[in-house]
Amino acid sequence: MANDSMAFVERLKQQGGGDFLRALVESVLADLMECEVTNQIGADLHERNGERQAYRNGYRDRI
């Protein structure tokens, strides 16, 4: 199994697919982080509702 993974990675590097793979991983991670932020805040990007817990820019009301 590890040999198959290494062969795949080597083949990607030879064909210049390393940048494609890097971009794919970055995209997936960005989507995962966006989902986590949405769940933490309680609202989607640009969504306004009463259940919103915070703002995406880190602003918090002062007490």
Side-chain angles (χ1 to χ4, degrees):
M1 181 90 162
N3 290 336
D4 292 338
S5 298
M6 293 303 292
F8 176 72
V9 170
E10 289 301 319
R11 192 174 306 137
L12 276 174
K13 286 181 182 178
Q14 289 173 353
Q15 297 175 352
D19 292 334
F20 167 74
L21 187 59
R22 182 177 294 118
L24 180 64
V25 169
E26 287 175 358
S27 174
V28 169
L29 290 176
D31 289 345
L32 285 173
M33 287 191 293
E34 182 65 30
C35 288
E36 287 182 14
V37 169
T38 298
N39 288 334
Q40 182 72 28
I41 291 175
D44 283 326
L45 187 61
H46 306 297
E47 180 182 357
R48 305 291 183 243
N49 62 26
E51 291 84 35
R52 180 181 213 99
Q53 300 293 317
Y55 296 95
R56 288 177 180 262
N57 65 358
Y59 176 80
R60 303 289 184 271
D61 290 330
R62 291 185 179 174
I63 297 176

